[in-house]
């Protein structure tokens, strides 16, 4: 279990443990937006990797280099799920942005 999911807990011990964990991983504390942005970029890179793997598996299968349809199906399903998740997150960000832009100050 990754302790970085405990950001909303106000315990000083948990916050120190998260900072130590991030320091051990080489993650700089850039604030909440910085962390959110880093995670978003990381998720986009993961999605791109899954899409690339799926494309490579399709090419290998089409060229006859492999007959294992199980690996092809797994790669396609991973890519599809990751892309759906990425699109859903993007849509929620756009909704939030539009709502913020409509707020009156």
């Amino acid at each position: 279990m990754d302790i970085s999911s405990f950001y909303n807990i106000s315990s000083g011990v948990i916050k120190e443990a998260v900072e130590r964990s991030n320091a051990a991983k080489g993650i700089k504390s850039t604030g909440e937006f910085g962390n959110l942005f880093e995670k978003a970029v990381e998720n986009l890179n993961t999605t791109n990797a899954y899409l690339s793997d799926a494309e490579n598996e399709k090419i290998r299968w089409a060229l006859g280099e492999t007959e294992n349809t199980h690996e092809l199906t797994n790669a396609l399903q991973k890519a599809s799920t990751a892309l759906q998740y990425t699109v859903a997150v993007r849509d929620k960000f756009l909704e939030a942005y539009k709502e913020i832009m409509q707020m009156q100050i």
Side-chain angles (χ1 to χ4, degrees):
M1 177 177 209
D2 186 15
I3 64 170
S4 63
S5 61
F6 295 120
Y7 277 118
N8 293 330
I9 296 177
S10 60
S11 169
V13 175
I14 297 292
K15 288 181 182 180
E16 289 175 17
V18 169
E19 289 173 7
R20 282 195 306 267
S21 173
N22 287 343
K25 293 178 187 175
I27 299 173
K28 296 177 183 175
S29 181
T30 58
E32 289 184 28
F33 180 76
N35 290 337
L36 179 66
F37 183 74
E38 288 175 8
K39 285 292 186 182
V41 170
E42 183 180 314
N43 286 338
L44 285 173
N45 290 336
T46 301
T47 300
N48 286 338
Y50 285 151
L51 290 170
S52 177
D53 291 345
E55 189 66 29
N56 289 339
E57 285 296 324
K58 282 195 293 189
I59 291 170
R60 288 181 59 220
W61 188 77
L63 292 175
E65 293 178 4
T66 182
E67 294 180 9
N68 189 350
T69 57
H70 179 69
E71 287 181 14
L72 174 63
T73 304
N74 281 344
L76 290 172
Q77 188 61 44
K78 279 184 183 180
S80 174
T81 303
L83 188 59
Q84 288 174 359
Y85 175 76
T86 302
V87 168
V89 169
R90 181 209 58 190
D91 291 345
K92 288 294 181 181
F93 275 125
L94 287 176
E95 284 179 30
Y97 174 76
K98 288 176 184 176
E99 190 171 322
I100 290 170
M101 293 306 292
Q102 291 177 355
M103 286 182 179
Q104 293 189 8
I105 299 176

